[in-house]
Amino acid sequence: MLYLYNTLTRKKEKFVPLQKGIVKIYSCGPTVYDYAHIGNFRAYVFEDLLRRYLKYKGYHVFQVMNITDVDDKTISGAKRKGIKLNDFTKKYSNAFFEDLEKLNIERVEEYPRATEHIPEMVKLIEILLKKSFAYEKDGSIYFKISQFEDYGKLSGMPAYASSFAKATEDKKATADRPSFDTQRQACPPKSAAGGRRREDADEYDKENPADFVLWKKAKEDEPSWPGPAGKRGRPGWHIECSAMSMKYLGESFDIHTGGEDNIFPHHENEIAQSEAATGKKFAHYWLHCKFLLVNNEKMAKSKGNFFTLRDLLKKDYNPLTIRFLLLSTHYRHTLNFTLGGLSQAEQTLRKLSDFCLNIKTYLHPRRASKVSFKERIKRAERDFEKAMDDDLNISAALAALFDLVKDINKAISEERIGKSDLADAGSLIKKINAMLGILKFDSPKEIGEEEKKLIRQREEARRERDFKLADGIREKLKKRGIILEDTRDGGRWKKIC
Ligand code: AMP
Ligand code: ZN
């Protein structure tokens, strides 16, 4: 049975989907104004692990990730370049998909773009206006948080957010009352370090500083669309996720994910808008991954302390090593990024690929097996799954896997394991890897010209009985992930990772 930590209830809960066998997930996606940094990819890799583990457990997953292609940053980026918004964002959304592929992140079922869902957002805002959860001020439309009783249930913000809202409304707010931002810093939500940007930074009038914008009045030099109550403008960031998640997943769905910075105000506001409009519970489980840090600070564009995937690939790191590093720390623990950590991840991953090589090169054990490893292998599988069932405890799951690797490697070196047990161990690694996606088993066609030449040289050396040279070439190829097997019918090779 899978347990997941729900930010909404602040505890681990048994995971039960709304519809038997099907899991519907919404994940907050990228704002496409630049290349995503690997902090962003920590969130996407965590979401990929969640998705893959649910599938591993036999669920059918339907997942949606939005592409934010209109906001202050995309608009100013397009303006700076003097090109259309769509041409500007296309470059970065294409780059995003290329990066996903390199990191072996599975494509989700839908990637809706904000600019292609304006009518759905307008409709939702109209409902909120009709139900008096929203008001218009100077051409923009705002959500009135004091009207939504449950405001703050996700982030733990209600005490001061809504009481401050009420105080302002009652015109009782006095000069000595700290501003909303000061209060936010004095009493931050448990994990939403520092709140959010965008809408907060925009200069629009509202009745109450804590209210948030749903629809922004059109500006002359900005893209705009026909809007609610006949007001031309563009959507706020939060409404985009409410409208698109409900369009593809329904008014209530299973899991909503994002990085911890999304908890407040973004997800809090999504809940307010959606539940105010429908009267139904929006997402049932809220999962948030902790930040990727650099020198103990959040990796962020604004701090300039970030690496894009492209930066690291230029330094010759394997994208799967980066995936492994991002994935191998439990998603609710912060991860401090260093190049040293990346090299460590490379070594750990090599242990696993070496193990696969060991299994393959030891296909014909000389002695019959004395001990059965069947139960040992089953135990590793059970321990792995037990750890993953505990809120995706990947560190414990990997520990179970590497313990098995150690035991089997030892048995191989002592020649006390049989062919069938080795095959079982190999199948388990393959099954787990199909879920973790950290090793690639390439097809034979993908071998390079240089390697083909080395294989020919080795064949020749063997024919001439120069076994020293033949073994040297075999080792060289093994380092490149190519395994040579000598069979009665001649030599054959396999490529792994
Ligand atoms: P953004 O494009 O800023 O909206 O971020 C896209 C996703 O990346 C969101 O789910 C963020 O919470 C997440 N994110 C941004 N920075 C980090 C970081 N340093 N560590 C982990 N997740 C992050
Ligand atoms: Zn979102």
Side-chain angles (χ1 to χ4, degrees), residues 19 79 129 145 151 195 209 291 346 409 460:
Q19 235 177 307
K79 258 192 221 164
L129 281 167
I145 68 157
Y151 193 83
F291 288 144
E346 198 165 29
N409 273 340
E460 198 153 322

Coordinates of all heavy atoms in Angstrom, one line a residue, residues 19 79 129 145 151 195 209 291 346 409 460:
Q19 N -10.8 7.3 -8.7 CA -11.4 6.2 -9.5 C -10.4 5.0 -9.5 O -9.2 5.2 -9.6 CB -11.3 6.8 -11.0 CG -12.6 6.8 -11.7 CD -12.4 7.4 -13.1 OE1 -11.8 8.5 -13.2 NE2 -12.7 6.7 -14.1
K79 N 9.5 41.4 -25.8 CA 9.6 42.9 -26.1 C 11.1 43.2 -26.3 O 11.5 43.9 -27.3 CB 9.1 43.7 -24.9 CG 7.7 44.3 -25.1 CD 7.5 45.3 -24.1 CE 6.1 45.2 -23.6 NZ 5.9 45.9 -22.3
L129 N -17.0 35.9 -10.4 CA -17.7 37.2 -10.3 C -19.1 37.1 -9.9 O -19.6 37.7 -9.0 CB -17.6 38.0 -11.7 CG -16.2 38.6 -12.0 CD1 -16.2 39.0 -13.5 CD2 -16.0 39.9 -11.2
I145 N -10.1 37.3 -1.0 CA -9.7 36.2 -0.2 C -10.6 36.1 1.1 O -10.8 35.1 1.6 CB -8.2 36.0 0.1 CG1 -7.7 37.1 1.0 CG2 -7.4 35.9 -1.1 CD1 -6.5 36.7 1.8
Y151 N -9.4 29.9 3.1 CA -8.2 30.4 2.6 C -7.0 30.2 3.6 O -7.1 30.5 4.8 CB -8.3 31.9 2.3 CG -7.1 32.4 1.4 CD1 -7.1 32.2 0.0 CD2 -5.9 32.9 2.0 CE1 -6.0 32.5 -0.7 CE2 -4.8 33.2 1.3 CZ -4.8 33.0 -0.1 OH -3.7 33.4 -0.8
G195 N 7.5 33.2 -0.1 CA 6.3 33.5 -0.9 C 6.6 33.6 -2.4 O 7.6 33.0 -2.8
P209 N -4.6 44.4 0.1 CA -3.3 43.9 -0.5 C -3.2 42.4 -0.6 O -2.4 41.9 -1.4 CB -2.3 44.5 0.6 CG -3.1 45.3 1.5 CD -4.5 45.1 1.3
F291 N 13.6 22.4 -2.3 CA 14.5 23.0 -3.2 C 15.8 22.3 -3.5 O 16.3 21.6 -2.6 CB 14.8 24.4 -2.7 CG 13.7 25.4 -2.7 CD1 13.6 26.3 -1.7 CD2 12.8 25.4 -3.8 CE1 12.6 27.3 -1.7 CE2 11.8 26.3 -3.8 CZ 11.7 27.3 -2.8
E346 N 28.0 9.9 -10.3 CA 28.6 9.2 -11.4 C 29.2 7.8 -11.0 O 29.0 6.8 -11.6 CB 29.7 10.0 -12.1 CG 30.0 9.7 -13.5 CD 30.8 10.8 -14.1 OE1 31.5 11.6 -13.4 OE2 30.7 10.9 -15.3
N409 N 27.7 -9.4 -6.3 CA 29.1 -9.2 -6.8 C 30.0 -10.2 -6.1 O 30.9 -10.7 -6.7 CB 29.5 -7.8 -6.6 CG 29.1 -6.9 -7.8 OD1 28.8 -7.4 -8.9 ND2 29.0 -5.6 -7.6
E460 N 41.1 -10.5 -34.4 CA 42.3 -10.8 -35.0 C 43.4 -11.3 -34.0 O 44.0 -12.3 -34.2 CB 42.9 -9.6 -35.7 CG 43.9 -10.0 -36.8 CD 43.9 -8.9 -37.9 OE1 42.8 -8.5 -38.3 OE2 45.0 -8.6 -38.3

